[in-house]
Amino acid sequence: MDSKGVAAPAVPEVALQSGNARPMPAVGMGTAAFPMVHENTKNAVLAAIEVGYRHLDTASLYRTEKPVGEAVAEAVRRGLVQSREEVFVTSKLWGSQCHPDLVLPSLRESLQNLQMDYVDLYLVHWPVCLKPGPPKVPNKREDALPFNFEGVWRAMEECQRLGLAKAIGVSNFTTKHLEKILAVATIPPAVNQVELNPVWQQRTLRAYCDAKGIRVAAYSPLGGQNWDGTGNAVLESPVLAEIAKARGKTVAQVSLRWIYEQGVTSIVKSYNKERLKQNLEIFDWELTEEDRLKISQITQKKIIQVESLFTPEGEFTNLQMEYVDLYLIHWPVCLKPGPLGFPNKREDALPFDFEGVWRAMEECQRLGLARAIGVSNFATKHLKKVLAVATIPPAVDQVELNPVWQQRTLRDYCAAKGIRVAAYSPLGGQNWDGQGNSVLESPVLAEIAKARGKTVAQELDDAAAASAVVFASRYVQEPLPRYELGRKSISKDAAYQIIHDELLLDSSPRLNLASFVTTWMEPECDKLILEGINKNYADMDEYPNRCVNIIARLFNAPLSAGETAVGVGTVGSSEAIMLAGLAFKRRWQNRRKAAGKPHDKPNIVTGANVQVCWEKFARYFEVELKEVKLREGCYVMDPDEAVQMVDENTICVAAILGSTLTGEFEDVKRLNNLLAIKNMRTGWDTPIHVDAASGGFIAPFLYPELEWDFRLPLVKSINVSGHKYGLVYAGVGWVVWRNKEDLPEELIFHINYLGADQPTFTLNFSKGTQIIAQYYQFLRLGFEGYRNVMENCMESARILREGLERTGRFTVISKERGVPLVAFTFKGRDTALAFRLSAALRRFGWIVPAYTMPANLEHMAVLRVVVREDFGRTMAERFLSNVQMVLDELDDEAKGGPVPRMRFTIELGPPARGAGEEASVKVVKRESVVAVHRSVSLAGGKTKGVC
């Protein structure tokens, strides 16, 4: 109600299709006023809230955030609204803040001004980037910079993930700007706020936004004024005046009603309380079809033009070039700052900061100023230093290269690392003194050129054509189809470069701490993979057989000296588990049929911590999955409970050697002993399968005394992932059986169309060169090498675990004996912190999964860091440093949060003697206010697929 007790009109609301903001009221109050007078703005906002506005629009440029925040707080105190949550608040990011590293700090500054924990909507004010500085208008042309659409939007998405903005969007964006955002967005913009009214109707833009699920909001709905205060073609429109007179309405009401009927939100500015009230009186009547037709025929005129920054088309004109296709470090040499030139004095040479310089190069690419980055004149030792710290590897190494200086070693190294080599001085280099050209003067090249009827240079051009460095932008100007086959071919160089450039946008695999999958192998193995990439190892079973025999003996299979092991290579552990499960099911069915018993209800017993592929097996092959629930302090399958769940229909019990959730080894020996007793008592023959996907290549080397494998008589099959701690790239797994009797013969197929009789038992027929990579690792590392790698991984995990414990903020729930990973939770019950930490670490490039535990432990939110071979001490220390930085930020938010953390109940009494007219105040109640974190529960979802 307003101050006179009159009920404020109900303003319709619309749910945004992106983000998690409350529904947005259809009319909002704008606060752009130049010059801004603090008290006037505050009073106007209070008046707006009093008459029914629940949508307030501000911006860092307007400098109205503080009075808006004060007005909302005052409205809560007066009881005009019950809480800040009743008010939808929008703020905006100005062009001088449109830099990826400034977005989040700018929003934090806005929240500080507003004295709020979050804004409901945060918009990029214009598709304009300016030199960093205070928001202002007008701006100089030379202050304009290229707009890094991807980098800025990634930072905007981070604002939403952190909960500082409930939804994000843009303002003054045309369709072409929106296309650039949508091409890179994982969270699409919820709103596009643009100039829109009957005199500038934006039909094309509205149709585009509607198709993309973007809500359009209209500023200047009553006619825009330019920065100089001129122009208002809406309120002066004779067409609108005629309609208003006929309907008994104001021109402003006609314009606002028309905008509402177009499905657009109005942001209308008025500091007059009566007009504010009138502007809300538009929801209980409609325009006629004749009115709408007349309005559609109004001559269109755009008012808002930021001439100091834009041409009429909205693009910058002051820069000759917005980016370079490739930016290289010229030499691995650092000199004292000064003008460019050579030669240089030896005393000017400084140590080269490979990490610092490369980090700055990566920032150039992230900002879009360089489409790719690389080096020049770097030897392999220099490249190794860069690759050791790079999150974006160099695309190119430009070096002197020609027939007289062929750089074979460097070329091989670059090929293995995916670095393109570019040759300068291909026709022969000259030293700085102008002397020497042994290429054009080469008698060998002259002889070849003469025989071919070419010049020496032409021969070199022909030879170099296949390896010329190109960028796709030179060859492909039209957009290429993504989801259908193109009509025309493009050059091989352009195709390569397009895909290569897209791959550069992926996160660095080495910083993905969620994955167990190997991300690094030695260059020699990379070379073998490339050499064998055109071979199908389904028709060359020698190498798989060697690997199967090595693994079976590693797992202590009961094999005689010359006996061949039973097993098969697979695409990964998922296929391996499917095959093992099928063997158990068929073996169980055969026994049941022979005994004349029902065989249509098989089940399998596992812990609730199993990987999702077990659930897939059960569903695909119609086997009931009986899960042992986890409990506090016990995050793996309890063998006692598992054996209790076994019945005559149980085809096997699956034990996990290295839980996906915590890395812990399950007690397979106790499971074997308990199950053996039950089998003896019941006459059943329930076997065990060990899912050693993660731990199979760890336990034999670090814990050889641990009995978990074929040393236990009930263990009939084991699967292991070659692409985890088998140290091979993604795409290889293994399953081995105890002996031939454990793999029913009817599941094995025999083929001879590849030249010889071959038994086969796989779901996937073809196999790639990962088989060769696995054999290389077995041959190269041996027992000693694998043990050294695993010991190093465990040492890195120890450093990580102790560093996390030193913060005093975490409880580590993973065991020291198990897979080299660290699983940890925040102390206390605030599960939201885990997800906030996970999201914040992405700013540094780290991917750390946060997940809730399975049934019975859903209240636990866990973070997990997998330690692989390429995660050494240096990376662990850097990771811990980044974690501490994020924790400090979270602490700052908690300590300096703008919303009060205490609620006081006060009692007002008569003025104390000598206090004039001031009432006496007595605090009668004080209580803590606990912030509520809003999150969305996953209905029926499972977290055990984390890997």
Side-chain angles (χ1 to χ4, degrees):
M1 294 190 179
D2 64 17
S3 58
K4 297 179 181 179
V6 179
V11 178
E13 298 179 336
V14 61
L16 301 178
Q17 295 188 35
S18 178
N20 54 4
R22 54 154 288 190
M24 182 170 70
V27 175
M29 178 195 180
T31 60
F34 301 96
M36 189 278 291
V37 179
H38 185 105
E39 205 59 31
N40 290 353
T41 301
K42 178 181 176 180
N43 291 336
V45 173
L46 269 171
I49 294 173
E50 188 175 344
V51 301
Y53 285 81
R54 296 295 181 268
H55 182 176
L56 305 175
D57 184 273
T58 181
S60 58
L61 175 70
Y62 307 160
R63 293 182 171 83
T64 57
E65 290 170 331
K66 285 187 177 180
V68 166
E70 290 174 8
V72 172
E74 179 69 19
V76 173
R77 283 193 291 272
R78 291 189 190 180
L80 299 176
V81 291
Q82 294 301 309
S83 68
R84 177 261 178 272
E85 282 72 24
E86 290 186 25
V87 184
F88 189 102
V89 178
T90 300
S91 193
K92 308 182 192 75
L93 179 80
W94 187 242
S96 58
Q97 301 163 326
C98 282
H99 303 268
D101 59 333
L102 296 183
V103 175
L104 187 57
S106 299
L107 175 54
R108 292 190 192 281
E109 184 179 351
S110 291
L111 292 174
Q112 187 64 37
N113 291 335
L114 287 161
Q115 289 293 290
M116 294 179 182
D117 280 333
Y118 67 89
V119 289
D120 297 271
L121 180 63
Y122 195 46
L123 306 178
V124 180
H125 208 150
W126 285 85
V128 176
C129 181
L130 302 166
K131 290 180 180 178
K136 64 175 183 177
V137 287
N139 293 276
K140 299 176 181 177
R141 282 189 179 275
E142 54 266 29
D143 289 344
L145 300 172
F147 196 100
N148 180 2
F149 285 90
E150 181 173 5
V152 170
W153 193 252
R154 288 276 179 266
M156 291 288 287
E157 291 176 330
E158 185 67 9
C159 293
Q160 180 172 318
R161 290 191 186 98
L162 291 173
L164 303 180
K166 298 296 185 182
I168 52 176
V170 295
S171 181
N172 299 294
F173 272 48
T174 64
T175 55
K176 66 180 177 180
H177 299 129
L178 289 171
E179 285 173 354
K180 291 179 180 180
I181 292 292
L182 292 172
V184 300
T186 56
I187 302 174
V191 170
N192 186 15
Q193 187 184 112
V194 295
E195 179 189 3
L196 191 150
N197 51 54
V199 178
W200 188 243
Q201 297 181 15
Q202 299 264 38
R203 297 185 187 97
T204 302
L205 179 65
R206 276 165 35 213
Y208 180 88
C209 289
D210 186 58
K212 300 297 183 181
I214 301 171
R215 178 75 176 183
V216 176
Y219 69 76
S220 297
L222 307 184
Q225 290 186 336
N226 214 329
W227 302 118
D228 61 3
T230 61
N232 195 322
V234 175
L235 296 181
E236 300 165 4
S237 167
V239 175
L240 298 177
E242 180 186 348
I243 295 172
K245 184 177 180 181
R247 303 300 304 280
K249 303 291 181 182
T250 67
V251 171
Q253 288 172 326
V254 170
S255 179
L256 292 171
R257 178 67 202 186
W258 176 84
I259 291 170
Y260 174 67
E261 291 183 3
Q262 308 312 305
V264 174
T265 297
S266 292
I267 306 298
V268 57
K269 188 197 77 175
S270 176
Y271 282 12
N272 180 286
K273 187 173 182 179
E274 189 58 36
R275 285 199 293 272
L276 281 167
K277 192 174 177 182
Q278 288 177 0
N279 290 341
L280 292 184
E281 295 170 351
I282 63 170
F283 302 114
D284 57 352
W285 57 279
E286 294 182 0
L287 294 168
T288 66
E289 285 300 324
E290 183 181 358
D291 294 338
R292 297 184 189 106
L293 178 62
K294 289 179 180 178
I295 293 173
S296 70
Q297 296 171 345
I298 292 176
T299 302
Q300 296 295 284
K301 178 184 178 184
K302 179 170 175 58
I303 298 297
I304 303 298
Q305 303 282 358
V306 188
E307 294 296 339
S308 62
L309 297 176
F310 284 115
T311 66
E313 290 74 33
E315 295 294 336
F316 299 112
T317 58
N318 62 308
L319 298 175
Q320 295 299 308
M321 193 172 291
E322 293 184 348
Y323 63 89
V324 291
D325 296 278
L326 179 62
Y327 194 45
L328 304 180
I329 299 173
H330 206 153
W331 284 86
V333 174
C334 181
L335 300 169
K336 290 180 180 178
L340 302 180
F342 61 86
N344 295 277
K345 299 176 182 178
R346 283 190 179 275
E347 54 266 30
D348 289 343
L350 302 172
F352 196 99
D353 180 4
F354 285 90
E355 181 173 1
V357 172
W358 193 253
R359 289 277 178 265
M361 291 288 286
E362 290 176 330
E363 185 65 12
C364 293
Q365 180 170 321
R366 291 191 185 99
L367 291 173
L369 304 179
R371 293 294 172 86
I373 52 177
V375 295
S376 180
N377 298 295
F378 272 49
T380 54
K381 65 179 180 180
H382 303 126
L383 289 170
K384 287 177 181 177
K385 292 181 180 180
V386 170
L387 291 171
V389 298
T391 57
I392 302 173
V396 171
D397 186 7
Q398 186 184 105
V399 295
E400 179 186 4
L401 192 150
N402 52 53
V404 178
W405 185 243
Q406 298 182 13
Q407 299 266 36
R408 296 184 186 94
T409 302
L410 178 66
R411 279 161 38 211
D412 288 345
Y413 182 84
C414 288
K417 298 299 182 182
I419 301 171
R420 184 76 167 182
V421 175
Y424 68 76
S425 298
L427 305 184
Q430 289 185 337
N431 214 327
W432 302 119
D433 60 4
Q435 301 298 313
N437 193 322
S438 53
V439 175
L440 295 181
E441 300 164 2
S442 166
V444 175
L445 296 175
E447 180 182 348
I448 296 171
K450 184 177 180 181
R452 298 284 304 280
K454 304 277 189 179
T455 68
V456 170
Q458 287 172 326
E459 277 297 308
L460 293 173
D461 285 344
D462 290 344
S467 61
V469 175
V470 299
F471 284 88
S473 57
R474 300 182 185 176
Y475 296 92
V476 182
Q477 298 300 325
E478 297 299 320
L480 296 171
R482 291 188 177 187
Y483 306 113
E484 60 184 45
L485 199 62
R487 290 185 297 106
K488 296 181 179 180
S489 302
I490 63 174
S491 76
K492 63 182 186 298
D493 302 303
Y496 167 83
Q497 196 66 43
I498 288 167
I499 298 172
H500 176 76
D501 290 348
E502 282 203 50
L503 292 175
L504 289 175
L505 302 177
D506 293 344
S507 62
S508 170
R510 292 186 61 194
L511 299 185
N512 183 358
L513 306 184
S515 177
F516 290 84
V517 175
T518 296
T519 56
W520 178 85
M521 295 188 75
E522 292 174 322
E524 291 76 12
C525 190
D526 291 342
K527 188 176 179 182
L528 281 175
I529 291 173
L530 291 173
E531 290 172 357
I533 203 166
N534 60 347
K535 297 175 183 177
N536 183 356
Y537 287 86
D539 53 357
M540 281 176 251
D541 62 355
E542 179 60 27
Y543 300 109
N545 280 347
R546 293 183 196 177
C547 292
V548 165
N549 279 276
I550 290 170
I551 293 169
R553 286 173 167 80
L554 187 66
F555 295 166
N556 294 295
L559 301 171
S560 59
E563 190 177 354
T564 300
V566 180
V568 67
T570 61
V571 173
S573 269
S574 292
E575 184 189 1
I577 285 168
M578 303 286 174
L579 297 176
L582 283 171
F584 282 119
K585 181 181 178 183
R586 182 57 59 89
R587 187 168 173 266
W588 173 83
Q589 287 175 327
N590 290 344
R591 287 201 314 272
R592 299 285 290 180
K593 288 177 184 178
K597 295 180 179 180
H599 55 273
D600 59 338
K601 294 183 179 179
N603 68 63
I604 189 168
V605 176
T606 71
N609 57 313
V610 293
Q611 219 268 353
V612 73
C613 57
W614 282 99
E615 187 178 352
K616 289 182 180 179
F617 165 74
R619 190 177 301 177
Y620 295 165
F621 297 106
E622 298 180 324
V623 176
E624 180 190 0
L625 188 67
K626 299 169 72 172
E627 292 185 338
V628 177
K629 284 185 167 51
L630 310 184
R631 62 180 184 272
E632 198 85 43
C634 180
Y635 308 116
V636 293
M637 179 179 70
D638 185 321
D640 296 75
E641 292 185 30
V643 172
Q644 289 176 18
M645 296 176 73
V646 169
D647 58 30
E648 62 180 350
N649 293 321
T650 302
I651 64 175
C652 80
V653 180
I656 312 297
L657 193 77
S659 169
T660 300
L661 300 178
T662 63
E664 187 175 348
F665 292 167
E666 292 182 343
D667 191 344
V668 187
K669 184 175 182 179
R670 179 168 177 77
L671 176 66
N672 177 86
N673 295 341
L674 291 172
L675 195 55
I677 294 171
K678 186 164 189 172
N679 285 344
M680 186 180 300
R681 189 176 69 247
T682 60
W684 301 336
D685 186 22
T686 308
I688 296 172
H689 173 85
V690 179
D691 178 358
S694 299
F697 283 121
I698 296 170
F701 305 110
L702 296 184
Y703 316 110
E705 77 289 350
L706 182 67
E707 295 182 36
W708 63 273
D709 51 18
F710 291 124
R711 285 171 287 181
L712 303 175
L714 291 183
V715 174
K716 302 299 183 182
S717 56
I718 302 172
N719 70 277
V720 65
S721 285
H723 58 228
K724 293 184 179 177
Y725 291 98
L727 307 181
V728 178
Y729 293 137
V732 63
W734 305 93
V735 58
V736 290
W737 284 268
R738 185 182 194 86
N739 52 49
K740 292 181 179 179
E741 290 73 27
D742 296 310
L743 177 57
E745 179 64 31
E746 63 266 33
L747 294 180
I748 302 173
F749 292 82
H750 292 265
I751 59 172
N752 59 14
Y753 53 79
L754 295 176
D757 179 70
Q758 274 188 262
T760 176
F761 175 43
T762 57
L763 299 179
N764 296 285
F765 184 70
S766 299
K767 294 184 180 71
T769 52
Q770 286 89 345
I771 299 289
I772 289 297
Q774 184 73 82
Y775 185 58
Y776 170 87
Q777 293 290 50
F778 288 161
L779 199 63
R780 163 79 174 88
L781 295 174
F783 194 95
E784 178 190 37
Y786 268 98
R787 184 182 60 209
N788 290 340
V789 170
M790 300 311 151
E791 286 177 347
N792 290 339
C793 288
M794 294 302 288
E795 176 63 13
S796 295
R798 182 191 64 79
I799 293 168
L800 199 57
R801 181 175 61 254
E802 292 177 356
L804 291 169
E805 288 174 337
R806 276 197 302 273
T807 67
R809 304 292 295 276
F810 304 112
T811 299
V812 175
I813 64 171
S814 52
K815 306 292 185 184
E816 294 185 26
R817 185 179 175 116
V819 176
L821 64 77
V822 182
F824 54 101
T825 65
F826 272 90
K827 293 180 178 178
R829 289 280 179 170
D830 189 353
T831 58
L833 287 174
F835 296 94
R836 292 176 68 187
L837 176 60
S838 174
L841 286 171
R842 284 180 176 264
R843 299 204 313 270
F844 304 98
W846 303 110
I847 298 176
V848 179
Y851 50 89
T852 53
M853 294 287 270
N856 256 26
L857 295 173
E858 298 97 330
H859 63 278
M860 290 183 64
V862 179
L863 295 126
R864 189 197 66 203
V865 175
V866 177
V867 176
R868 299 185 301 269
E869 182 184 7
D870 57 356
F871 186 86
R873 175 184 286 268
T874 302
M875 291 185 72
E877 291 171 348
R878 175 172 294 176
F879 174 77
L880 290 169
S881 172
N882 294 154
V883 168
Q884 188 60 57
M885 290 171 67
V886 174
L887 291 176
D888 291 342
E889 290 178 8
L890 294 176
D891 288 343
D892 289 343
E893 288 178 25
K895 294 174 184 175
V899 177
R901 301 301 179 192
M902 301 293 295
R903 180 182 290 118
F904 295 90
T905 302
I906 62 173
E907 188 178 273
L908 298 179
R913 183 175 299 176
E917 297 181 359
E918 292 291 329
S920 63
V921 178
K922 179 182 178 183
V923 177
V924 296
K925 186 178 181 181
R926 178 170 59 185
E927 56 187 334
S928 299
V929 178
V930 180
V932 178
H933 176 79
R934 292 175 171 79
S935 60
V936 180
S937 299
L938 297 175
K942 295 212 174 188
T943 61
K944 62 191 179 190
V946 180
C947 64

